[in-house]
Amino acid sequence: MIEYVNAALLRSGSYDIEDLIGRPLATLYTRDVFARVLDQLRETAEGRASMQHEIQALDNSGRGIWLQINTVPIFDNAGRLTYFVRIGRDVTVRKRIEQERETTQRLLASVFGVIDQALAVVDDCGNFSMVNTAVTRQLGWSVFDLIGRPFTSVIDESSRKWLTRQLAAREEEEQTTRLPTELLHRNGTVIGGEIVSTVIMQPDGRQYRVITFRQKAAVGHNCAGRIDPIGGARAAAGQAAARRRSSPARSSWSG
């Protein structure tokens, strides 16, 4: 039974003191996790020494929080175990970062090493968290240019808003989305192409994307136009620019 808790535990788990005092220690854990907690307590008592471990507890709303726990067994003068003192530190943020890193490393090992297409992992904020070397070979951007920046950095400005809206709309219904777009080379050249975006849900419920950038045809630096969302792939941007110069009122591209 829980006999004492301090303010830090109450804050970390959004508990009131009445929620815990006099309640079983199992209140703080799921059934499977508490079975491991009991094993750890038993091992601590048998070893008659403090132990440190990390365990996932529950806050007052049932959400998982990671704690680094130091458990100290207390014995009376006769050598009998009287109670445990458990001192915890919230390490939820660190565990989340570690899990994200592990997920990214698995993606790198299973996908990045064998695909010769420009490929990236985009986090739930829309920023690059990983790109492969094909991005550099095909679009000129280095890893250091892109990590932490919006994935639209490699999309021509004229296509960015439309592409972002289309992704948001389609990903509500489709796990994998294919959309035409205008890719932006690091040297400023605009390249007709498309992206293929696949949604990957993280263990904490956040949504990541694996995006493939595919080229269709290179076009001149000053020949970019907006993608027509109805018509799909359009003629080369250079031809579109020529049509705009000769009869701008009839052009199907918007600037």
Side-chain angles (χ1 to χ4, degrees):
M1 305 294 288
I2 300 173
E3 294 186 5
Y4 169 81
V5 294
N6 67 0
L9 175 59
L10 299 177
R11 287 194 304 269
S12 180
S14 300
Y15 286 104
D16 293 325
I17 193 166
E18 296 82 7
D19 297 326
L20 298 178
I21 296 299
R23 300 287 303 278
L25 183 60
T27 303
L28 293 169
Y29 304 97
T30 64
R31 181 180 300 177
D32 291 342
V33 171
F34 186 61
R36 295 200 299 272
V37 171
L38 287 177
D39 289 339
Q40 292 164 352
L41 292 176
R42 190 174 299 110
E43 184 178 354
T44 302
E46 291 173 353
R48 305 180 73 84
S50 63
M51 290 185 62
Q52 183 182 97
H53 52 270
E54 293 180 356
I55 202 77
Q56 191 171 37
L58 298 174
D59 68 10
N60 199 28
S61 65
R63 181 178 59 91
I65 55 175
W66 280 95
L67 299 175
Q68 183 183 77
I69 300 288
N70 285 290
T71 302
V72 181
I74 304 299
F75 299 89
D76 62 17
N77 292 335
R80 293 172 298 193
L81 178 68
T82 55
Y83 52 88
F84 294 98
V85 174
R86 290 167 61 82
I87 304 169
R89 182 167 66 93
D90 191 331
V91 293
T92 302
V93 173
R94 175 173 63 78
K95 293 293 288 188
R96 186 183 69 196
I97 293 172
E98 291 174 354
Q99 289 170 349
E100 290 175 355
R101 185 183 300 118
E102 291 172 1
T103 299
T104 302
Q105 289 173 344
R106 287 196 297 270
L107 284 171
L108 176 62
S110 63
V111 178
F112 277 43
V114 297
I115 290 183
D116 194 35
Q117 295 176 335
L119 194 67
V121 174
V122 175
D123 65 22
D124 62 328
C125 295
N127 299 324
F128 285 111
S129 63
M130 180 176 292
V131 296
N132 69 352
T133 56
V135 173
T136 300
R137 293 196 302 271
Q138 298 177 24
L139 298 176
W141 300 92
S142 73
V143 172
F144 302 105
D145 292 329
L146 297 179
I147 296 300
R149 294 184 60 190
F151 81 94
T152 52
S153 300
V154 300
I155 305 297
D156 182 57
E157 187 174 359
S158 65
S159 299
R160 290 175 186 172
K161 289 184 179 179
W162 177 84
L163 181 66
T164 302
R165 288 196 300 266
Q166 289 295 309
L167 277 176
R170 296 195 183 189
E171 286 176 346
E172 292 182 358
E173 301 178 356
E174 305 171 2
Q175 183 177 9
T176 298
T177 303
R178 183 189 304 268
L179 290 168
T181 193
E182 299 291 323
L183 303 174
L184 182 64
H185 195 279
R186 192 176 188 276
N187 65 13
T189 300
V190 177
I191 306 169
E194 67 178 11
I195 69 166
V196 179
S197 173
T198 299
V199 174
I200 297 179
M201 298 303 297
Q202 299 298 297
D204 60 5
R206 293 188 298 163
Q207 178 176 291
Y208 276 36
R209 298 186 186 112
V210 175
I211 298 181
T212 303
F213 302 91
R214 297 178 177 173
Q215 300 182 32
K216 288 188 177 178
V219 297
H221 173 53
N222 295 320
C223 300
R226 290 191 187 279
I227 295 294
D228 180 350
I230 298 177
R234 292 298 189 233
Q239 296 174 349
R243 287 198 301 272
R244 287 198 298 273
R245 289 194 295 272
S246 62
S247 56
R250 297 181 181 178
S251 173
S252 63
W253 297 78
S254 58

